[in-house]
Amino acid sequence: MKGTSVVVDVPHEYWKLLADAKSRRTQNIPLIFVIKHNDRQVSHLERKFQQTTLDTYQHRISGQLTLKTKQFQIPSIVSDHIEHIEGLSKFPVLLNTAVPKHPLANKAQSNAPIIISLTPNEKNIEFFIELKCSNGKIAYAIICPEFEGYKVTLRTLGSTTSQTVSLANANCRFYTLQYIVFCRFVLTFNIRKYQQNKISIQSKFVENGQTSYSASVSKEFEEVSKVTPSLLSSLYNVNTSTLKQKRHAKSRQAVVGFSNYYNLKSFTAFAQSFGKNFNLKIGKVYGTDYKNKSYHENETSLDMEYMAAMGAGIVTDYISGSTYDYDFTQFFATLAMLESNKRNVVPLVYSISYATDERAHGAKGVRMIDINFMKMGVSGKTVFAASGDNGVWAQSGACPKRFGPVYASSSPYITSVGGTQLIHGVNGSCRYISQESGICLEEIVAYKNALTNCLITSGGGFSEYHSTPTWQKPFVQNYLTSAGKRLPPSTYFNKSNRAYPDISLLAHGYRYKQSNTDYVVDGTSASSPAIAGLFSLINDQRLKLGMKPLGFLNPLLYRLAKTNPGVFYDIVTGKNNCNRQSCCQYGFEAQKGYDPVTGLGSINHELMMKLLTKNASG
């Protein structure tokens, strides 16, 4: 925006006088004023955006555009010219982490114990069980006096193994919030991965010297590989020589976070345990409140660890917002301030693992954010956003009569990332990796299920506000035609609008560190930073060749899907009708080609690298 600063008298009717308010000490309040965009300027930006994204990967560097920051005093009447004032209004956001929250199972009158969770990890299985007494009643506040432990039986193909767990080893105690007794313990079994197993559990009771056992409760499961940087590199065909190269001086990437504690010790521990071959490089931290230890660190640690690992050797910054800033105002303001100093090396690739119901923003709020995403694309920046963990629903819980798309993932100006999981494949769909030698693997939709213990469902669907972009139209139309009667009722979504996600990556079973403790999580909030790091490697190679950074990625992705379909691993199995709490009647199904569950599929990184680093002259 051009022009000089203007001081304006604001009529008194626009302000509320707090005559009876108590006096208080002077307090500085940081405010960010977002000035309304001129419609003609926005139209010009859109034309520039479309022009810039047409042939990005064939052009050489001709001077990178930057975001500009200017200072303004309040122009004209406040209500006519101010879009939003960050600092006076703060909003919640749905966090796409995958910290397990195990709902209590149906409490029937059987005296069988209730399995809250069963987590296989290498050769160990962790049990989390709700205790019931011999009369079938829930154990409240105290352990049932007749309870003496558990009998656990594992049945696999061709073998049956039983173990007993004493009262002392069952580690039972009541939780003050529910006053219900839970038992948590770990047993070691010889478990083969990608085979169906069945665990049966009985409680042992001793009354009047007589031993009896409860009814049995069973759960089937299939242990799958836990995700590490090495596994991702194998599965997505990352050339190991690419991981060891020296990086271009302008290669930089960033995680965008909100109200999360930034723990450098976690990053260091992860680098030592899982990143020895990946040269993780931490960069600068921007923003506020990231030192607040009252916040969780799970999202920030997960994002930073996997973006830095998959973008091996590329400096990874963290841009923090002090609130769940669902309009991204503080992020854009921070980015603009970085751009204002030419000495700063500003990140070229960004990952956002946060989302909320698109309708909570409203069309006006979405438009304001989209304009800034367009600016990022035009200036050579690539933005990835997690598609959510609740399938077609923005929130967990009930199944409403209309799907709930999530934003920013539904924006046509970013690259939306869905989630997958691995299962035992069948002939014709096999992928093999060194970590699981000889096992046929298939990548399918990440969806909530008891067999693989996946806790999330890949988000996807259709935007409420954005029409289908030209580069996506033939793919979406092909999906709608092919799906036919398998589509949800037309009242649940707008088939004429932008579909998401665009691409996918593993979202189940990520190992990461919080301080020195290992955690395993699910979530597209892991998929997004991981794939962002992989594209940072491609960006780095382009910079070395004198080519432009990728910038807005989607037109290239859909063009490659047409001209070089082998660059994607097509995901054809699974559905996204579940949220974290329940599964609903309707959702979208994965199928051959594009679908609003996993997009175009996951990537063959080595082939993608070759195609996107060809010189214009070659």
Side-chain angles (χ1 to χ4, degrees), residues 529-553:
I531 206 166
L534 291 175
F535 274 95
S536 275
L537 296 180
I538 298 174
N539 238 10
D540 178 74
Q541 187 63 24
R542 290 172 60 86
L543 292 175
K544 291 176 184 176
L545 294 172
M547 302 173 72
K548 274 189 175 182
L550 288 166
F552 180 55
L553 191 60

Side-chain angles (χ1 to χ4, degrees), residues 378-605:
V378 168
S379 64
K381 297 176 179 62
T382 307
V383 183
F384 295 88
S387 71
D389 298 337
N390 285 303
V392 290
W393 314 101
Q395 306 287 348
S396 296
C399 304
K401 296 296 184 182
R402 184 131 180 123
F403 295 151
V406 297
Y407 191 85
S409 201
S410 61
S411 170
Y413 306 112
I414 57 87
T415 300
S416 174
V417 184
T420 63
Q421 61 179 320
L422 290 175
I423 63 168
H424 197 289
V426 296
N427 292 334
S429 61
C430 293
R431 303 253 297 279
Y432 294 96
I433 57 175
S434 58
Q435 289 81 359
E436 303 297 346
S437 179
I439 299 179
C440 169
L441 301 177
E442 181 184 0
E443 200 173 0
I444 68 169
V445 175
Y447 68 95
K448 179 182 172 67
N449 71 95
L451 188 62
T452 64
N453 202 34
C454 185
L455 300 172
I456 63 102
T457 299
S458 179
F462 289 77
S463 170
E464 290 280 31
Y465 300 125
H466 302 101
S467 59
T468 310
T470 55
W471 35 263
Q472 193 187 50
K473 274 186 178 180
F475 294 87
V476 173
Q477 188 55 53
N478 180 69
Y479 170 75
L480 294 171
T481 301
S482 301
K485 293 182 179 180
R486 292 182 288 110
L487 287 171
S490 59
T491 54
Y492 277 71
F493 68 103
N494 188 336
K495 66 180 182 181
S496 299
N497 280 1
R498 187 292 204 250
Y500 73 99
D502 300 297
I503 51 178
S504 289
L505 207 79
L506 282 183
H508 174 43
Y510 275 71
R511 297 184 69 176
Y512 80 111
K513 290 280 190 178
Q514 287 191 35
S515 296
N516 287 317
T517 304
D518 273 31
Y519 287 86
V520 177
V521 297
D522 295 352
T524 56
S525 54
S527 313
S528 180
I531 206 166
L534 291 175
F535 274 95
S536 275
L537 296 180
I538 298 174
N539 238 10
D540 178 74
Q541 187 63 24
R542 290 172 60 86
L543 292 175
K544 291 176 184 176
L545 294 172
M547 302 173 72
K548 274 189 175 182
L550 288 166
F552 180 55
L553 191 60
N554 291 357
L556 299 181
L557 294 177
Y558 285 85
R559 181 187 300 172
L560 288 174
K562 183 178 180 179
T563 61
N564 299 85
V567 79
F568 297 103
Y569 296 114
D570 198 5
I571 314 300
V572 298
T573 303
K575 191 174 180 179
N576 65 354
N577 59 311
C578 297
N579 57 44
R580 291 193 195 180
Q581 293 184 5
S582 58
C583 291
C584 305
Q585 181 178 0
Y586 298 114
F588 298 105
E589 294 183 29
Q591 65 177 40
K592 187 175 181 179
Y594 178 85
D595 55 68
V597 188
T598 57
L600 298 168
S602 57
I603 64 169
N604 181 330
H605 186 264

Side-chain angles (χ1 to χ4, degrees), residues 139-158:
Y140 287 100
I142 62 172
I143 299 173
C144 318
E146 72 275 18
F147 175 70
E148 291 291 334
Y150 292 107
K151 178 181 178 181
V152 180
T153 302
L154 173 66
R155 293 179 177 85
T156 61
L157 290 175

Side-chain angles (χ1 to χ4, degrees), residues 221-260:
F221 72 94
E222 182 176 310
E223 186 181 5
V224 298
S225 302
K226 297 300 183 287
V227 179
T228 62
S230 294
L231 184 142
L232 290 173
S233 295
S234 296
L235 187 66
Y236 297 115
N237 195 27
V238 180
N239 190 320
T240 53
S241 65
T242 303
L243 301 172
K244 301 175 182 178
Q245 295 177 4
K246 184 178 179 180
R247 300 305 170 200
H248 191 277
K250 291 187 177 180
S251 282
R252 208 170 184 102
Q253 57 187 7
V255 165
V256 180
F258 304 95
S259 291
N260 243 237

Side-chain angles (χ1 to χ4, degrees), residues 45 48-50 52-53 56 64-65 67 335 348 350 370-383 413-414 548-553:
L45 174 63
K48 184 74 173 176
F49 181 83
Q50 294 296 334
T52 303
T53 59
T56 301
Q64 183 180 332
L65 296 173
L67 301 179
L335 189 57
L348 291 170
Y350 299 78
D370 280 344
I371 290 170
N372 286 283
F373 283 144
M374 275 192 281
K375 291 178 182 178
M376 292 182 73
V378 168
S379 64
K381 297 176 179 62
T382 307
V383 183
Y413 306 112
I414 57 87
K548 274 189 175 182
L550 288 166
F552 180 55
L553 191 60

Side-chain angles (χ1 to χ4, degrees), residues 133-182:
C133 299
S134 58
N135 60 5
K137 293 185 177 180
I138 299 294
Y140 287 100
I142 62 172
I143 299 173
C144 318
E146 72 275 18
F147 175 70
E148 291 291 334
Y150 292 107
K151 178 181 178 181
V152 180
T153 302
L154 173 66
R155 293 179 177 85
T156 61
L157 290 175
S159 67
T160 300
T161 307
S162 293
Q163 295 189 43
T164 58
V165 181
S166 67
L167 174 60
N169 292 333
N171 189 28
C172 301
R173 61 189 181 92
F174 77 90
Y175 285 63
T176 54
L177 290 178
Q178 297 104 338
Y179 282 90
I180 298 174
V181 176
F182 295 96

